[in-house]
Amino acid sequence: MLLTDPEIESSLLISSDEGATYQKYRLNFYIQSLLFHPKQEDWILAYSQDQKLYSSAEFGRRWQLIQEGVAPNRFYWSVMGSNKEPDLVHLEARTVDGHSQYLTCRMQNCTEANRHKPFPGYIDPDSLIVQDDYVFVQLTSGGRPHYYVSYRRNAFAQMKLPKYALPKDMHVISTDENQVFAAVQEWNQNDTYNLYISDTRGVYFTLALENVQSSRGPEGNVMIDLYEVAGIKGMFLANKKIDNQVKTFITYNKGRDWRLLQAPDTDLRGDPVQCLLPYCSLHLHLKVSENPYTSGIIASRDTAPSIIVASGNIGSELSDSDISMFVSSDAGNTWRQIFEEEHSVLYLDQGGVLVAMKHTSLPIRHLWLSFDEGRSWSKYSFTSIPLFVDGVLGEPGEETLIMTVFGHFSHRSEWQLVKVDYKSIFDRRCAEEDYRPWQLHSQGEACIMGAKRIYKKRRSERKCMQGKYAGAMESEPCVCTEADFDCDYGYERHSNGQCLPAFWFNPSSLSKDCSLGQSYLNSTGYRKVVSNNCTDGVREQYTAKPQKCPGKAPRGLRIVTADGKLTAEQGHNVTLMVQLEEGDVQRTLIQVDFGDGIAVSYVNLSSMEDGIKHVYHNVGIFRVTVQVDNSLGSDSAVLYLHVTCPLEHVHLSLPFVTTKNKEVNATAVLWPSQVGTLTYVWWYGNNTEPLITLEGSISFKFTSEGMNTITVQVSAGNAILQDTKTIAVYEEFRSLRLSFSPNLDDYNPDIPEWRRDISRVIKKSLVEATGVPSQHILVAVLPGLPTAAELFVLPYQDPTGENRRSAEDLEQISELLIHKLNQNLVHFELKPGVQVFVHAAHLTAAPLVDLTPTHSGSAMLMLLSVVFVGLAVFVIYKFKRPQWCESCLLHEAEYEMGRSFPQAGR
């Protein structure tokens, strides 16, 4: 098939007799790209210049329109084994109103009635990826991208990264062997990515390597410095950035363990190389050529599994100067220098012949051959006239000994093709006695990915043609050890090698689908590396155990809309989703009251997986309630749904703690601040009816002690946003400002979820260091940088009302806390190797408690402390924080500034 020049005409020239004759077929569209079916040679997809997708089942002789508005390079043929229909087409198309959606249909029957939407709702533009058994899409909501995966064409599930990865960008690197290798750029990264590896379904991801170098390609595409070595599963090379130095690391077990590369013992001249790990090592350039006619700067082949050729340098870091060529013939364990300048290297005869050609802008006439895996090289002339080399191609096939060099004799000449045939060098084929066994290993460790693998290698002194590749000679499974297991999702490996829960992960939380009488897999904190073939040993000890689901009362009930919004259009369907953290989902009665006089009941949560659809016929604010009951207890949740307005962000500012009968001010802080006419809906205390105002502040009092929830909803146009805070009410309390060692700021993404989790960790550390009961302590991490927190000492009393702490007791607790803080006895481990110390802030411009007789000794945050502390913080942060937030510095704990300004406050 030949395509005519589109500037002249749009036609295909098709030959069925190897180019002897051609038949012309005119087209009514202009082809931009073609995609041939991997199995059916006559099936073709054609993408036109006006974003239409066509299909042909007759090798381009007839075409049929499949879909208009298709995203470029976002169309795929079905994958055999994952799709039942070989003619199924996956594509991303744009709707009339500009949204993107994922569609599938048959190539010859893609009518509206026969199109399917495997992913419910819209997706982000240019996000569809279909690769092997996996389908990936991206959906951005709340300013954050969320990634979804379908394994073997089953229902989509959200991909689970560690809680505070907060990805800005993600690239799927590999989907080999039923596992996803992904590069994720997290919230605090700019030119590096973290490598994550998944379970079989591609849902749960664990960290494989941090801070892998990235760069931009010629067309602006992101390139990750990661190279998968061909022929040896689980083996990767990566360039990691450490303290502004880029170093090359190698893994043999899919990222479970990494190490630096040992530099050669001698250089090209045989002189010893002084290079001591870890201060000095070998570093390689890992970019693969996008040009099919050049070999790139690193190369390996499936049919030569032990040989790796790459350019790089020896030293403390990767450099673009002093580049040499290196070869390893034992799968990266040892390396040899072969050239002092960059060369293109071609593999012939399964690596039995290596051909090297110098990278140069000058014309050349010589090339180099090696018959012993790069140990020695011979110089050969391939042309009598020096040639400007544009590229080199090896003939297809495993037994090839033919290569073609193409270039030009001068800048004005035509292309010249030089065919080089090496068959005459060999006078015989290799026999069995010409080979020796070679065992794959990593620094002497023979068990790699749970197996010992022995290959056949031609003896270096034998010059014979190898022929067809036979693969591994034998493979024997190894006994499982701890090295065959990686940390499971939610766990991190510590310095002692143990996998322990991350600070944000609760291992005891059960799946919400777990019901009494059923079983679930209780993780040990470890999971076997995917495709690892080890047997017995510690496998049973480290493998997740089936465990009976205990009966649990309903807990963590939530009711939300399917799109996460708090608004619905009058007369249109709104889908409500009921979510339950814990509880027996099968033996549960669920009652939903839509707030408009209509209620429904369900006997289990499973029948509500697709949500509850309801149509509101009137405009207003509806109090949607859900009640869940089982034999062990009940739980309820409320959703205030506005049936008809947009706003970017609302933050409710109020104190964390207040005293009884003291007037409290609550203020709704908006972004942007000018959004037209606003309606504020306030819910606080035990009120069943809201307070509706046109002002963004209200005042109220609490007449009894306890915890109170306050919710504000702000309506502007067609958008409604809300924020909810909890305030503690006591007769008296103490408070203290906390600061932290500076390293905590490096891990602070400045979002509410992180602040809540860190507050819990700080509270736990305080309790452990002082022995003070946890009921006496409340910690609230404040927004912004540097990281600070407010510590409250509370007068907890037991449920009987007795054993109440006096003011003197609170004073003693406060003194104990300050004493421990000043002695650096309060600290916590944020992640392996990151220790954070908690300090009492030195800024004490005024007493934090008021002990005057008019207040009967009640402890209150006085205006003077607010003014002094607020003024100090104002001076420090004047140019680091938006001015509309200055009044919140003492009181806000949950402002989600990152949604609108991901880098604000830094």
Side-chain angles (χ1 to χ4, degrees):
M1 177 186 291
L2 302 178
L3 278 68
T4 58
D5 185 345
E7 293 186 2
I8 300 175
E9 63 174 299
S10 180
S11 300
L12 291 177
L13 301 173
I14 298 175
S15 171
S16 301
D17 52 12
E18 300 182 350
T21 60
Y22 285 90
Q23 184 74 35
K24 179 184 283 189
Y25 295 87
R26 294 194 177 274
L27 304 175
N28 59 359
F29 61 93
Y30 290 90
I31 293 177
Q32 181 170 313
S33 62
L34 294 174
L35 183 65
F36 289 82
H37 193 278
K39 298 293 183 182
Q40 302 290 335
E41 61 182 21
D42 287 340
W43 294 1
I44 312 172
L45 296 178
Y47 186 70
S48 69
Q49 295 180 3
D50 56 353
Q51 298 187 334
K52 295 178 182 178
L53 188 66
Y54 297 83
S55 68
S56 173
E58 303 175 48
F59 200 69
R61 294 174 177 86
R62 290 187 181 86
W63 293 92
Q64 181 174 327
L65 177 65
I66 293 182
Q67 176 69 38
E68 298 182 3
V70 177
N73 301 316
R74 301 294 173 178
F75 49 91
Y76 308 86
W77 282 110
S78 64
V79 177
M80 303 306 294
S82 293
N83 294 110
K84 296 179 181 178
E85 305 90 356
D87 62 341
L88 192 71
V89 177
H90 304 260
L91 58 94
E92 178 187 315
R94 292 186 176 87
T95 61
V96 177
D97 53 0
H99 292 103
S100 297
Q101 56 186 355
Y102 167 32
L103 304 176
T104 61
C105 64
R106 310 285 287 271
M107 62 179 289
Q108 296 292 308
N109 188 17
C110 199
T111 61
E112 184 69 33
N114 292 301
R115 292 185 195 125
H116 299 280
K117 299 177 183 178
F119 184 80
Y122 300 123
I123 64 175
D124 287 355
D126 301 312
S127 70
L128 175 66
I129 299 174
V130 180
Q131 194 165 305
D132 297 326
D133 286 337
Y134 302 90
V135 180
F136 305 92
V137 296
Q138 176 181 318
L139 178 62
T140 298
S141 62
R144 296 185 198 168
H146 301 278
Y147 302 93
Y148 295 83
V149 62
S150 166
Y151 176 60
R152 292 186 174 173
R153 310 307 181 255
N154 291 313
F156 277 88
Q158 187 169 349
M159 297 163 67
K160 302 289 186 182
L161 293 165
K163 187 173 181 179
Y164 295 115
L166 304 178
K168 297 189 296 187
D169 189 26
M170 175 185 286
H171 296 272
V172 175
I173 301 296
S174 167
T175 53
D176 295 343
E177 299 174 337
N178 295 323
Q179 191 171 37
V180 180
F181 225 137
V184 177
Q185 188 170 63
E186 301 187 12
W187 63 274
N188 56 353
Q189 293 178 305
N190 293 315
D191 58 351
T192 61
Y193 281 72
N194 288 349
L195 293 181
Y196 285 90
I197 197 161
S198 78
D199 60 350
T200 300
R201 293 172 52 231
V203 174
Y204 292 99
F205 285 77
T206 55
L207 183 65
L209 187 65
E210 290 183 297
N211 294 321
V212 177
Q213 182 72 8
S214 71
S215 59
R216 291 281 177 180
E219 298 180 1
N221 54 309
V222 175
M223 297 191 297
I224 312 296
D225 272 19
L226 177 73
Y227 181 76
E228 184 173 8
V229 178
I232 300 176
K233 67 177 182 179
M235 185 175 174
F236 290 84
L237 291 160
N239 283 331
K240 178 178 179 177
K241 193 172 185 179
I242 305 174
D243 297 330
N244 291 321
Q245 289 186 324
V246 178
K247 301 174 183 286
T248 302
F249 286 78
I250 189 170
T251 179
Y252 293 86
N253 52 10
K254 284 195 170 181
R256 175 12 178 117
D257 301 289
W258 296 85
R259 63 172 175 81
L260 293 165
L261 297 180
Q262 178 66 59
D265 294 329
T266 59
D267 62 15
L268 201 57
R269 293 180 263 309
D271 297 328
V273 174
Q274 304 298 326
C275 187
L276 181 65
L277 289 172
Y279 312 104
C280 172
S281 58
L282 175 64
H283 309 285
L284 304 178
H285 293 276
L286 303 180
K287 292 181 177 62
V288 180
S289 173
E290 296 181 358
N291 184 347
Y293 310 115
T294 59
S295 64
I297 50 183
I298 184 168
S300 60
R301 294 292 181 271
D302 287 326
T303 53
S306 64
I307 305 174
I308 310 169
V309 182
S311 66
N313 63 281
I314 298 170
S316 60
E317 63 177 320
L318 183 65
S319 171
D320 289 325
S321 58
D322 298 326
I323 296 176
S324 300
M325 295 297 297
F326 299 89
V327 65
S328 173
S329 55
D330 57 2
N333 285 280
T334 60
W335 295 82
R336 298 183 301 276
Q337 185 181 11
I338 53 176
F339 298 106
E340 290 184 330
E341 295 176 286
E342 279 194 273
H343 285 64
S344 292
V345 177
L346 204 67
Y347 287 63
L348 299 178
D349 192 31
Q350 303 174 36
V353 180
L354 297 178
V355 183
M357 192 171 292
K358 185 178 179 180
H359 275 189
T360 177
S361 59
L362 301 175
I364 58 174
R365 68 173 72 192
H366 297 101
L367 49 76
W368 298 84
L369 292 182
S370 174
F371 301 94
D372 54 7
E373 299 179 340
R375 291 177 178 84
S376 61
W377 294 84
S378 302
K379 189 176 182 180
Y380 287 83
S381 174
F382 68 94
T383 175
S384 57
I385 303 175
L387 185 72
F388 290 94
V389 175
D390 296 312
V392 183
L393 277 179
E395 290 278 331
E398 293 179 331
E399 301 182 39
T400 180
L401 282 166
I402 299 174
M403 60 176 283
T404 302
V405 183
F406 58 96
H408 48 279
F409 292 130
S410 70
H411 292 295
R412 296 182 179 181
S413 68
E414 302 286 339
W415 260 11
Q416 309 293 323
L417 300 183
V418 181
K419 176 181 174 182
V420 186
D421 190 341
Y422 298 98
K423 287 179 183 175
S424 60
I425 294 177
F426 302 109
D427 54 7
R428 64 183 182 88
R429 283 185 173 271
C430 295
E432 192 64 32
E433 60 270 15
D434 295 312
Y435 292 92
R436 62 177 178 86
W438 174 77
Q439 184 168 55
L440 174 66
H441 66 94
S442 170
Q443 299 297 294
E445 173 56 55
C447 285
I448 295 178
M449 293 292 286
K452 296 179 180 178
R453 281 172 280 174
I454 298 177
Y455 296 82
K456 276 198 316 184
K457 294 188 74 168
R458 194 187 67 184
R459 297 180 185 274
S460 59
E461 69 274 9
R462 306 291 176 88
K463 192 182 261 191
C464 56
M465 190 169 68
Q466 297 195 82
K468 191 170 184 179
Y469 175 65
M473 192 166 67
E474 58 183 71
S475 179
E476 175 188 343
C478 296
V479 173
C480 290
T481 66
E482 189 268 342
D484 296 304
F485 290 81
D486 209 344
C487 291
D488 205 350
Y489 174 78
Y491 291 79
E492 295 175 331
R493 191 175 302 281
H494 287 243
S495 56
N496 61 1
Q498 281 187 299
C499 293
L500 299 176
F503 75 92
W504 50 265
F505 183 66
N506 180 13
S508 62
S509 62
L510 304 179
S511 167
K512 66 183 179 66
D513 298 324
C514 193
S515 299
L516 187 63
Q518 296 181 341
S519 297
Y520 74 102
L521 288 177
N522 187 18
S523 176
T524 62
Y526 299 83
R527 71 181 184 197
K528 194 165 82 164
V529 176
V530 174
S531 301
N532 186 294
N533 296 319
C534 73
T535 59
D536 301 327
V538 300
R539 185 174 67 171
E540 183 66 24
Q541 175 187 344
Y542 282 10
T543 301
K545 307 293 189 300
Q547 187 168 318
K548 290 291 184 183
C549 298
K552 286 206 170 188
R555 188 183 71 82
L557 180 66
R558 295 179 64 215
I559 180 168
V560 296
T561 57
D563 57 7
K565 297 179 180 178
L566 297 169
T567 59
E569 286 189 54
Q570 179 187 7
H572 289 73
N573 265 322
V574 58
T575 302
L576 300 171
M577 310 296 294
V578 176
Q579 301 169 350
L580 188 64
E581 281 187 20
E582 287 185 1
D584 189 348
V585 299
Q586 298 299 329
R587 297 173 175 84
T588 301
L589 176 65
I590 303 103
Q591 301 176 72
V592 181
D593 187 334
F594 297 107
D596 60 352
I598 300 175
V600 294
S601 298
Y602 297 86
V603 293
N604 61 65
L605 277 176
S606 301
S607 58
M608 305 165 58
E609 288 182 350
D610 296 330
I612 309 166
K613 289 183 169 53
H614 185 67
V615 176
Y616 286 92
H617 298 286
N618 297 308
V619 173
I621 305 171
F622 295 89
R623 190 173 189 265
V624 185
T625 60
V626 56
Q627 175 85 20
V628 176
D629 298 273
N630 66 15
S631 59
L632 298 174
S634 64
D635 197 6
S636 61
V638 177
L639 171 68
Y640 302 107
L641 185 66
H642 292 242
V643 179
T644 189
C645 241
L647 187 65
E648 290 186 33
H649 186 78
V650 57
H651 160 66
L652 178 58
S653 173
L654 76 164
F656 304 122
V657 185
T658 188
T659 52
K660 189 171 66 172
N661 294 319
K662 180 181 183 298
E663 192 166 75
V664 176
N665 291 322
T667 301
V669 182
L670 309 179
W671 183 263
S673 58
Q674 301 297 325
V675 290
T677 303
L678 301 173
T679 303
Y680 299 84
V681 183
W682 306 87
W683 308 80
Y684 61 93
N686 296 320
N687 296 349
T688 57
E689 295 293 329
L691 172 65
I692 302 176
T693 70
L694 297 178
E695 297 295 328
S697 298
I698 62 169
S699 298
F700 47 86
K701 297 179 181 178
F702 293 102
T703 58
S704 59
E705 292 184 308
M707 303 299 292
N708 292 272
T709 298
I710 302 174
T711 298
V712 62
Q713 295 179 326
V714 183
S715 173
N718 294 321
I720 297 176
L721 294 181
Q722 78 171 29
D723 194 13
T724 299
K725 293 290 187 299
T726 300
I727 184 171
V729 182
Y730 293 97
E731 286 279 359
E732 53 191 2
F733 61 90
R734 300 290 189 276
S735 69
L736 177 68
R737 181 62 66 91
L738 301 177
S739 61
F740 305 90
S741 48
N743 58 347
L744 182 59
D745 291 348
D746 297 334
Y747 301 93
N748 182 354
D750 203 16
I751 63 172
E753 298 96 316
W754 186 88
R755 292 194 286 269
R756 283 195 292 268
D757 280 337
I758 291 298
S759 297
R760 176 173 49 81
V761 174
I762 298 167
K763 178 177 177 178
K764 180 181 176 184
S765 302
L766 287 164
V767 171
E768 291 175 351
T770 63
V772 174
S774 62
Q775 298 90 338
H776 286 294
I777 295 176
L778 172 65
V779 177
V781 176
L782 303 175
L785 292 173
T787 310
E790 198 79 29
L791 166 62
F792 296 92
V793 182
L794 307 177
Y796 173 79
Q797 64 182 16
D798 60 29
T800 65
E802 300 178 358
N803 301 322
R804 182 182 179 87
R805 297 282 185 171
S806 66
E808 291 75 18
D809 293 330
L810 296 184
E811 196 64 36
Q812 291 177 2
I813 294 174
S814 300
E815 290 174 359
L816 174 61
L817 289 167
I818 293 173
H819 177 69
K820 297 293 185 180
L821 288 166
N822 289 338
Q823 287 188 322
N824 283 338
L825 296 178
V826 183
H827 51 81
F828 59 91
E829 190 176 46
L830 186 69
K831 60 185 296 183
V834 180
Q835 196 78 9
V836 178
F837 287 84
V838 187
H839 312 287
H842 299 293
L843 185 61
T844 55
L848 290 176
V849 295
D850 178 21
L851 300 178
T852 59
T854 56
H855 291 90
S856 303
S858 61
M860 300 171 60
L861 288 175
M862 295 305 294
L863 178 62
L864 187 57
S865 67
V866 173
V867 171
F868 273 80
V869 178
L871 182 59
V873 177
F874 174 82
V875 171
I876 296 171
Y877 295 102
K878 172 68 177 176
F879 299 103
K880 291 189 176 183
R881 298 177 55 85
Q883 292 194 19
W884 55 267
C885 202
E886 289 162 6
S887 63
C888 314
L889 285 173
L890 283 177
H891 305 301
E892 65 175 341
E894 304 298 335
Y895 177 55
E896 204 168 315
M897 185 162 61
R899 293 199 177 207
S900 298
F901 304 100
Q903 298 301 321
R906 297 189 71 87

